[in-house]
Amino acid sequence: WAFNEEVVARAICASRVAIATGIGHEPDTTIADLVGDLRGPTPTGVTELTIPDVASLAAGLENQRALLTRDMRRRLEWSRGQLDRVELQIQGVIGEAVRGRARRVDTLMRLVTRIEPRHAIAQGWRRIEEAQRRLEKAVQAKAASEREHVGRLGHRLERGSPALRMGRQRDRVEGLAERLHAAMGRRAAGCADKLAALAAHLRLVSPQAVLDRGFSITTDGEGNLLRRAEQVKKGDVIKTRLAEGEIISTVGTPKQASLF
């Protein structure tokens, strides 16, 4: 009846922590069952509803791992194709730059042959050196840009690694397993307390407890329990069981009398 009291119902409604109830057994229903967040038919039933199956979680994780592995393989293949296309583009840009510089050098060389040789040669070499420096800078800048792009792709692949996601899911499964063990421990402790209470109650109502309080049990020669004096006659052999030991006696004159 305590679970029908108003103070209990209000406390359940005010709780910031979800409360699941499994009071008694069906068809028992209390007010606490009606205001709780989740109701189970029995204490065991509500335990099954609130604690997930570790085997199902493990199967789900294995399925997620397979899906992640497939997706990452496809992502790697796509990235490899991207890298191949970038490499071809770099090679094309560098080749075109080299051909352009080569044409520029040829033009300068032709100019050198048409002007005063010494100054023309010096000027031509300066232009060649300047063109070479610009070419080297352009190649280095393009290579640095592509390396940075490749690095970003690699970083994105690392962040989406199945190993990291599996690690997080493994931690979650371990946490659920710890909660399961704790719940099982509390359940076992509650059952042990209930068993001890039942054992104490059984000892209080057992025949031995009655004998320990000073009463006795008397049976006739055939082991039938004697409740009235008229069940025996003079000369019958009876057995009286005490808290410790038994007394075998012979009936004198049976007489029905009041206890007090």
Side-chain angles (χ1 to χ4, degrees), residues 34-70:
L34 302 178
V35 298
D37 299 280
L38 175 66
R39 180 194 175 197
T42 63
T44 302
V46 78
T47 302
E48 295 173 350
L49 290 174
T50 53
I51 299 178
D53 183 15
V54 175
S56 299
L57 288 175
L61 287 176
E62 178 60 24
N63 185 49
Q64 290 296 322
R65 185 198 65 78
L67 292 175
L68 282 172
T69 301
R70 184 200 63 188

Coordinates of all heavy atoms in Angstrom, one line a residue, residues 34-70:
L34 N 1.5 4.0 -12.3 CA 0.9 4.8 -13.2 C 1.7 6.1 -13.4 O 1.6 6.7 -14.5 CB -0.5 5.2 -12.7 CG -1.5 4.0 -12.5 CD1 -2.8 4.4 -12.0 CD2 -1.6 3.2 -13.8
V35 N 2.4 6.6 -12.4 CA 3.2 7.9 -12.6 C 4.6 7.7 -13.0 O 5.3 8.6 -13.2 CB 3.1 8.7 -11.3 CG1 1.6 9.0 -11.0 CG2 3.7 8.0 -10.1
G36 N 5.1 6.4 -12.9 CA 6.5 6.2 -13.3 C 6.8 6.3 -14.8 O 5.9 6.4 -15.6
D37 N 8.1 6.3 -15.1 CA 8.5 6.5 -16.6 C 8.3 5.2 -17.3 O 8.1 5.2 -18.5 CB 9.9 7.0 -16.7 CG 10.1 8.4 -16.0 OD1 9.7 9.4 -16.6 OD2 10.5 8.4 -14.9
L38 N 8.5 4.0 -16.6 CA 8.4 2.7 -17.3 C 7.9 1.7 -16.3 O 8.3 1.7 -15.1 CB 9.8 2.3 -17.8 CG 9.9 0.9 -18.4 CD1 9.1 0.8 -19.7 CD2 11.3 0.5 -18.6
R39 N 6.9 0.9 -16.7 CA 6.3 -0.1 -15.8 C 6.6 -1.5 -16.3 O 6.4 -1.8 -17.5 CB 4.8 0.1 -15.7 CG 4.2 -0.9 -14.8 CD 2.7 -0.9 -14.9 NE 2.1 -2.0 -14.1 CZ 0.9 -2.5 -14.3 NH1 0.1 -1.9 -15.2 NH2 0.4 -3.4 -13.5
G40 N 7.1 -2.4 -15.5 CA 7.3 -3.7 -15.8 C 6.3 -4.6 -15.1 O 5.8 -4.3 -14.0
P41 N 6.0 -5.8 -15.6 CA 5.0 -6.7 -15.0 C 5.4 -7.2 -13.7 O 4.6 -7.4 -12.8 CB 4.8 -7.8 -16.0 CG 6.1 -7.8 -16.8 CD 6.5 -6.4 -16.9
T42 N 6.8 -7.4 -13.5 CA 7.3 -8.0 -12.3 C 8.7 -7.3 -12.1 O 9.2 -6.7 -13.0 CB 7.5 -9.5 -12.4 OG1 8.5 -9.8 -13.5 CG2 6.2 -10.2 -12.7
P43 N 9.3 -7.5 -10.9 CA 10.7 -6.9 -10.7 C 11.6 -7.5 -11.7 O 12.5 -6.8 -12.3 CB 11.0 -7.4 -9.3 CG 9.7 -7.4 -8.6 CD 8.7 -7.9 -9.6
T44 N 11.5 -8.8 -12.0 CA 12.4 -9.4 -13.1 C 12.1 -8.8 -14.4 O 13.0 -8.5 -15.2 CB 12.2 -10.9 -13.1 OG1 12.5 -11.4 -11.8 CG2 13.2 -11.5 -14.1
G45 N 10.8 -8.6 -14.7 CA 10.5 -8.0 -16.0 C 11.0 -6.6 -16.3 O 11.5 -6.3 -17.3
V46 N 10.9 -5.8 -15.2 CA 11.4 -4.4 -15.4 C 12.9 -4.4 -15.5 O 13.5 -3.6 -16.2 CB 10.9 -3.5 -14.2 CG1 11.7 -3.8 -13.0 CG2 11.0 -2.1 -14.6
T47 N 13.6 -5.4 -14.9 CA 15.1 -5.5 -15.0 C 15.4 -5.8 -16.5 O 16.3 -5.2 -17.1 CB 15.6 -6.6 -14.1 OG1 15.3 -6.2 -12.8 CG2 17.1 -6.7 -14.2
E48 N 14.7 -6.7 -17.1 CA 14.9 -7.1 -18.5 C 14.6 -5.9 -19.4 O 15.3 -5.8 -20.5 CB 14.0 -8.3 -18.9 CG 14.4 -9.6 -18.1 CD 13.4 -10.7 -18.4 OE1 12.4 -10.4 -19.0 OE2 13.7 -11.8 -18.0
L49 N 13.6 -5.1 -19.1 CA 13.3 -3.9 -19.9 C 14.4 -2.8 -19.9 O 14.6 -2.1 -20.8 CB 11.9 -3.4 -19.5 CG 10.7 -4.2 -19.8 CD1 9.5 -3.6 -19.2 CD2 10.6 -4.4 -21.3
T50 N 15.0 -2.7 -18.7 CA 15.9 -1.5 -18.5 C 17.4 -1.8 -18.8 O 18.2 -0.9 -19.0 CB 15.8 -1.0 -17.1 OG1 16.0 -2.1 -16.1 CG2 14.5 -0.4 -16.8
I51 N 17.7 -3.1 -18.8 CA 19.1 -3.5 -19.0 C 19.3 -4.1 -20.4 O 18.6 -5.2 -20.6 CB 19.7 -4.4 -17.9 CG1 19.6 -3.8 -16.6 CG2 21.1 -4.8 -18.2 CD1 20.0 -4.6 -15.4
P52 N 20.0 -3.6 -21.3 CA 20.1 -4.1 -22.7 C 20.9 -5.4 -22.7 O 21.6 -5.7 -21.8 CB 20.8 -3.0 -23.5 CG 21.6 -2.3 -22.4 CD 20.8 -2.4 -21.2
D53 N 20.6 -6.2 -23.8 CA 21.3 -7.5 -24.0 C 22.7 -7.2 -24.5 O 22.8 -6.6 -25.6 CB 20.5 -8.3 -24.9 CG 21.1 -9.7 -25.1 OD1 21.9 -10.1 -24.3 OD2 20.7 -10.4 -26.1
V54 N 23.7 -7.7 -23.8 CA 25.1 -7.4 -24.2 C 25.4 -8.1 -25.6 O 26.1 -7.6 -26.4 CB 26.1 -7.9 -23.2 CG1 27.5 -7.8 -23.7 CG2 25.9 -7.1 -21.9
A55 N 24.8 -9.3 -25.8 CA 25.0 -10.0 -27.0 C 24.4 -9.3 -28.2 O 25.1 -9.2 -29.3 CB 24.4 -11.4 -26.9
S56 N 23.2 -8.7 -28.0 CA 22.7 -7.9 -29.1 C 23.5 -6.7 -29.4 O 23.7 -6.3 -30.6 CB 21.2 -7.4 -28.7 OG 20.4 -8.6 -28.5
L57 N 24.0 -6.0 -28.3 CA 24.9 -4.8 -28.6 C 26.2 -5.2 -29.3 O 26.6 -4.5 -30.2 CB 25.3 -4.2 -27.2 CG 24.2 -3.5 -26.5 CD1 24.6 -3.0 -25.1 CD2 23.7 -2.3 -27.3
A58 N 26.7 -6.4 -28.9 CA 27.9 -6.8 -29.6 C 27.7 -7.1 -31.1 O 28.5 -6.8 -32.0 CB 28.5 -8.1 -28.9
A59 N 26.5 -7.7 -31.4 CA 26.1 -8.0 -32.8 C 25.9 -6.7 -33.5 O 26.4 -6.6 -34.7 CB 24.9 -8.9 -32.8
G60 N 25.3 -5.7 -32.9 CA 25.1 -4.4 -33.6 C 26.4 -3.8 -33.8 O 26.6 -3.2 -34.9
L61 N 27.4 -3.8 -32.9 CA 28.7 -3.3 -33.1 C 29.4 -3.9 -34.2 O 30.1 -3.3 -35.0 CB 29.5 -3.4 -31.8 CG 29.1 -2.4 -30.7 CD1 30.0 -2.7 -29.4 CD2 29.3 -1.0 -31.1
E62 N 29.3 -5.2 -34.3 CA 30.0 -6.0 -35.4 C 29.4 -5.6 -36.8 O 30.1 -5.4 -37.7 CB 29.8 -7.5 -35.2 CG 30.4 -8.4 -36.3 CD 31.9 -8.2 -36.4 OE1 32.5 -7.7 -35.4 OE2 32.4 -8.4 -37.5
N63 N 28.1 -5.4 -36.8 CA 27.5 -4.9 -38.1 C 27.9 -3.5 -38.4 O 28.2 -3.2 -39.6 CB 25.9 -4.9 -37.9 CG 25.2 -4.5 -39.2 OD1 25.5 -5.1 -40.2 ND2 24.3 -3.6 -39.1
Q64 N 28.0 -2.6 -37.4 CA 28.5 -1.2 -37.6 C 30.0 -1.3 -38.1 O 30.4 -0.5 -39.0 CB 28.4 -0.4 -36.4 CG 27.0 -0.1 -36.0 CD 26.3 0.8 -37.0 OE1 26.9 1.7 -37.6 NE2 25.0 0.5 -37.3
R65 N 30.8 -2.2 -37.5 CA 32.2 -2.3 -37.9 C 32.3 -2.7 -39.4 O 33.1 -2.1 -40.2 CB 32.9 -3.3 -37.0 CG 34.4 -3.4 -37.3 CD 35.0 -4.7 -36.8 NE 34.4 -5.8 -37.4 CZ 34.8 -6.2 -38.6 NH1 35.8 -5.6 -39.3 NH2 34.3 -7.3 -39.2
A66 N 31.4 -3.6 -39.8 CA 31.5 -4.1 -41.2 C 31.1 -2.9 -42.1 O 31.7 -2.7 -43.2 CB 30.5 -5.3 -41.4
L67 N 30.0 -2.2 -41.8 CA 29.6 -1.0 -42.6 C 30.7 0.0 -42.6 O 31.0 0.6 -43.7 CB 28.3 -0.4 -42.0 CG 27.1 -1.3 -42.1 CD1 25.9 -0.7 -41.4 CD2 26.7 -1.7 -43.5
L68 N 31.3 0.3 -41.5 CA 32.4 1.3 -41.5 C 33.6 0.9 -42.4 O 34.2 1.7 -43.1 CB 32.9 1.6 -40.0 CG 32.0 2.4 -39.2 CD1 32.5 2.4 -37.7 CD2 31.9 3.8 -39.7
T69 N 33.9 -0.4 -42.3 CA 35.0 -0.9 -43.1 C 34.7 -0.8 -44.5 O 35.6 -0.3 -45.3 CB 35.3 -2.4 -42.7 OG1 35.6 -2.5 -41.3 CG2 36.5 -2.9 -43.5
R70 N 33.5 -1.1 -44.9 CA 33.1 -1.0 -46.3 C 33.2 0.5 -46.8 O 33.7 0.8 -47.8 CB 31.7 -1.5 -46.5 CG 31.2 -1.5 -48.0 CD 29.7 -1.6 -48.1 NE 29.1 -0.4 -47.4 CZ 27.8 -0.3 -47.2 NH1 27.0 -1.2 -47.6 NH2 27.3 0.8 -46.6

